[in-house]
Amino acid sequence: MEKFTVHTGIAVPLNSANIDTDQIIPKQFLLATTRKGFGKHAFHDWRYLDDAETQLNPEFNLNKPAYQGASILVAQDNFGNGSSREHAPWALTDFGFKAVIAPSFANIFHHNALGNGLLTVKLTSDEVNELITYLEENPGEKLTISLEEMYVDCAGKRYCFDLDPFYRHCLLNGLDNIDLTLEHDAAITAFEQQATTFMVHKA
């Protein structure tokens, strides 16, 4: 998993609350079990005017020229609610997003996102509204998110946030569940050897 320390990128505002996982990645695209290839289907119903995904909706922010290459998403309350699907953060990261900023996140999405290297930043509703207003008035503006110092910087103004120390450690060091397990490789090997010896003697 890629390390997240400090990231600067174009921020795209989606001024909507209750953006659920079926809006992030509709169920008809949940056919693969690998993490790649879902980005082109992210926000399918909003990004495209046809099911074949050949006609972009020019009114949707992700399709506007100023927001091309966006890597930070700013949305309203209860982002990622609905059915539990790890494909939702897969779709967002495959699209190119590194972080999502919102006042609140659905609990399962929040944990799925962090476990897949997608930083979820919780700010207050007033702070998010301020960011969205600024980004809508200044399309293509970049934000800086420092996980090391726990702040979001927008045009010189800083917004502080908190994150569970465990997830912060994982993101700062690029550790997924497999990496975390391998950190205990020596202890696991010692236990296996001990268990093997015990079974031999018992036999």
Side-chain angles (χ1 to χ4, degrees), residues 29 52 55 63 65 74 96 99 109 112 116 126-127 149 153 166 180 193 197:
F29 300 112
Q55 301 177 54
N63 294 334
V74 186
F109 173 84
N112 280 340
N116 283 280
D126 288 343
E127 289 171 332
E149 298 186 41
D153 184 285
F166 169 76
L180 287 169
Q193 291 174 343
T197 301

Side-chain angles (χ1 to χ4, degrees), residues 77-166:
D77 276 308
N78 201 26
F79 187 89
N81 70 98
S83 62
S84 170
R85 58 185 67 167
E86 202 167 12
H87 300 74
W90 290 356
L92 294 173
T93 55
D94 193 56
F95 185 86
F97 286 113
K98 305 293 185 183
V100 181
I101 300 172
S104 63
F105 296 88
N107 189 54
I108 295 176
F109 173 84
H110 171 68
H111 292 292
N112 280 340
L114 293 170
N116 283 280
L118 179 66
L119 176 62
T120 53
V121 176
K122 295 181 183 179
L123 298 180
T124 68
S125 294
D126 288 343
E127 289 171 332
V128 168
N129 286 331
E130 189 173 2
L131 282 177
I132 287 177
T133 298
Y134 180 82
L135 294 171
E136 289 177 338
E137 293 175 351
N138 300 272
E141 187 72 14
K142 293 182 178 181
L143 303 181
T144 294
I145 301 175
S146 172
L147 186 57
E148 294 175 320
E149 298 186 41
M150 307 289 282
Y151 68 76
V152 176
D153 184 285
C154 175
K157 182 171 182 178
R158 288 192 172 183
Y159 304 85
C160 296
F161 65 94
D162 293 317
L163 186 66
D164 179 277
F166 169 76

